[in-house]
């Protein structure tokens, strides 16, 4: 499950950034079944998946990277956190996790997708269900900015 | 008196093609001919609405005004207040999703045949077919390029 999920996340994120932003992502490193919920400050854009495969997918980065990603998406300079940045991050997560969902559906059948929730600030954390580890894929933009996509899923 | 019998079959309006190589039922498009029109973009993401607004502004489409809505309920209010010639809609939205919006639109006499292009992350065949069966005229999966949107719109709109 984890290795396949790493592949799905890699494919989805690289497609989103290549198609919509014209950016080639460098993929890696990846971590399977991690208990590390990720950074405790910055931005975490989350989307839920429900059905025979259920859980959460998040795009996690610093506020500076969130501004950079949003600027790429909207083709305008966004240099501080704003509603536009949060919305863009939510949509980036929606597209990446949404495409992972479509790939998962090939074996799991129809799955539901939530609307995005974006958390930002400092001193926050996330916890998965017992026995559910994070699958984490790190990405780097051509400019050196880094973000990660992490998913915690269970199969029923 | 001369009588010429003519048989007429009622077909479905619109053609659905998708920006992937998946098989989809083929229906001939029923082009909307109009000199200029209002276009409604329905998506809970303001970022996507901005991107699509920019894309529409760069096409050769005769656009009077681009209207926006954040969900299906808002879209219905806009549709009732304005004369809209084309709708681009997401599927996954709060309050009222794109499938429900499409169903409601096709119940409104003035919007029975207005072209609707679904622009969404939903890629499952079942969702595509659900939209097609409710009368969606096209389907573009996110992420998309400006060219993909424009090519889809060309199949729906003729001037």
């Amino acid at each position: 499950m984890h290795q396949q999920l790493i592949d799905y996340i890699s494919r989805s994120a690289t497609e989103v950034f290549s198609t919509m932003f014209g950016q080639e992502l460098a993929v890696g490193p990846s971590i399977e079944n991690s208990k590390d919920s990720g950074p405790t400050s910055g931005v975490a854009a989350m989307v839920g998946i429900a059905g025979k495969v259920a859980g959460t997918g998040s795009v996690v980065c610093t506020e500076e990277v969130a501004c950079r990603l949003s600027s790429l998406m909207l083709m305008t300079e966004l240099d501080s956190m704003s509603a536009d940045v949060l919305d863009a991050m939510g949509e980036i997560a929606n597209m990446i996790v949404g495409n992972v969902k479509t790939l998962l559906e090939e074996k799991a059948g129809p799955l539901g997708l939530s609307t995005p929730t974006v958390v930002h600030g400092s001193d926050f954390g996330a916890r998965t269900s017992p026995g559910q580890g994070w699958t984490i894929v790190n990405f780097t933009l051509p400019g050196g900015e880094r973000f990660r996509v992490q998913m915690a899923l269970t199969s029923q | 008196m001369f009588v010429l019998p003519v048989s007429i079959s009622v077909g479905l309006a619109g053609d659905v093609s998708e920006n992937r190589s998946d098989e989809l039922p083929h229906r001939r498009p029923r082009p909307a001919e109009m000199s200029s029109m209002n276009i409604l973009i329905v998506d809970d993401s303001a970022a996507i609405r901005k991107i699509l607004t920019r894309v529409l502004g760069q096409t050769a489409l005769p656009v009077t005004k681009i209207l926006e809505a954040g969900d299906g309920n808002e879209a219905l209010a806009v549709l009732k207040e304005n004369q809209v010639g084309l709708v681009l809609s997401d599927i996954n939205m709060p309050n009222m999703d794109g499938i429900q919006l499409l169903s409601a639109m096709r119940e409104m006499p003035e919007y029975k045949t207005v072209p609707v292009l679904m622009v969404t992350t939903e890629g499952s065949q079942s969702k595509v077919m659900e939209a097609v069966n409710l009368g969606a005229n096209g389907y573009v999966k996110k992420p998309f390029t400006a060219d993909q949107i424009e090519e889809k719109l060309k199949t729906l709109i003729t001037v």
Side-chain angles (χ1 to χ4, degrees):
Chain A
M1 167 72 141
H2 288 287
Q3 191 54 49
Q4 184 182 67
L5 191 54
I6 288 171
D7 176 55
Y8 287 172
I9 293 171
S10 301
R11 287 161 58 183
S12 296
T14 52
E15 184 185 3
V16 168
F17 276 75
S18 172
T19 302
M20 290 205 76
F21 309 151
Q23 299 273 317
E24 295 298 321
L25 292 179
V27 181
S30 309
I31 307 167
E32 296 180 24
N33 202 25
S34 170
K35 293 302 177 187
D36 172 22
S37 64
T40 57
S41 65
V43 179
M46 301 178 290
V47 178
I49 292 177
K52 285 188 177 177
V53 175
T56 305
S58 306
V59 177
V60 184
C61 62
T62 64
E63 290 189 351
E64 289 73 21
V65 174
C67 290
R68 172 65 178 144
L69 297 180
S70 304
S71 297
L72 285 172
M73 185 172 186
L74 296 173
M75 295 177 70
T76 187
E77 196 61 36
L78 297 169
D79 54 12
S80 61
M81 292 301 294
S82 64
D84 285 344
V85 173
L86 297 176
D87 181 83
M89 286 301 299
E91 186 58 29
I92 290 170
N94 182 46
M95 287 190 287
I96 293 174
V97 178
N99 279 282
V100 171
K101 182 201 78 118
T102 299
L103 292 169
L104 290 168
E105 284 176 325
E106 291 175 3
K107 292 181 182 174
L111 299 173
L113 190 74
S114 77
T115 52
T117 297
V118 185
V119 176
H120 71 103
S122 59
D123 198 23
F124 59 76
R127 182 178 175 274
T128 61
S129 299
Q132 190 183 42
W134 294 99
T135 299
I136 301 168
V137 183
N138 288 283
F139 296 94
T140 307
L141 284 161
E145 301 93 345
R146 294 182 183 179
F147 67 96
R148 69 193 228 175
V149 177
Q150 57 189 58
M151 300 190 73
L153 301 176
T154 53
S155 299
Q156 298 176 10
Chain B
M1 182 171 67
F2 176 78
V3 175
L4 176 65
V6 178
S7 61
I8 301 173
S9 60
V10 179
L12 293 171
D15 183 17
V16 175
S17 55
E18 206 251 336
N19 63 332
R20 298 288 171 83
S21 58
D22 302 296
E23 290 290 323
L24 288 173
H26 178 78
R27 300 181 295 186
R28 287 198 61 77
R30 185 172 175 171
E33 298 183 351
M34 46 195 76
S35 56
S36 188
M37 60 183 160
N38 294 327
I39 298 177
L40 173 60
I41 300 172
V42 190
D43 200 303
D44 57 328
S45 166
I48 290 295
R49 298 199 303 268
K50 284 178 184 169
I51 291 171
L52 287 173
T53 297
R54 186 176 65 238
V55 169
L56 289 170
Q58 292 169 351
T59 68
L61 285 176
V63 180
T64 302
K65 190 191 298 184
I66 295 176
L67 305 165
E68 298 184 24
D71 61 40
N73 282 332
E74 288 182 15
L76 286 178
V78 171
L79 289 168
K80 287 170 184 170
E81 292 294 318
N82 299 271
Q83 190 176 358
V84 173
L86 169 67
V87 177
L88 283 71
S89 178
D90 190 8
I91 288 183
N92 286 325
M93 295 181 291
N95 302 320
M96 179 187 281
D97 67 24
I99 297 294
Q100 294 168 321
L101 169 63
L102 181 58
S103 179
M105 278 184 64
R106 294 316 189 205
E107 294 294 319
M108 301 165 72
E110 64 272 37
Y111 290 113
K112 234 176 181 28
T113 58
V114 165
V116 177
L117 178 66
M118 311 306 292
V119 184
T120 176
T121 54
E122 283 288 353
S124 65
Q125 195 69 4
S126 60
K127 273 293 180 190
V128 173
M129 290 311 303
E130 189 178 8
V132 166
N133 290 334
L134 283 171
N137 304 92
Y139 205 98
V140 172
K141 188 134 171 4
K142 296 176 183 175
F144 54 82
T145 63
D147 286 345
Q148 286 169 339
I149 296 290
E150 188 164 4
E151 282 306 308
K152 287 294 174 183
L153 293 178
K154 281 180 186 174
T155 68
L156 303 182
I157 302 291
T158 60
V159 177

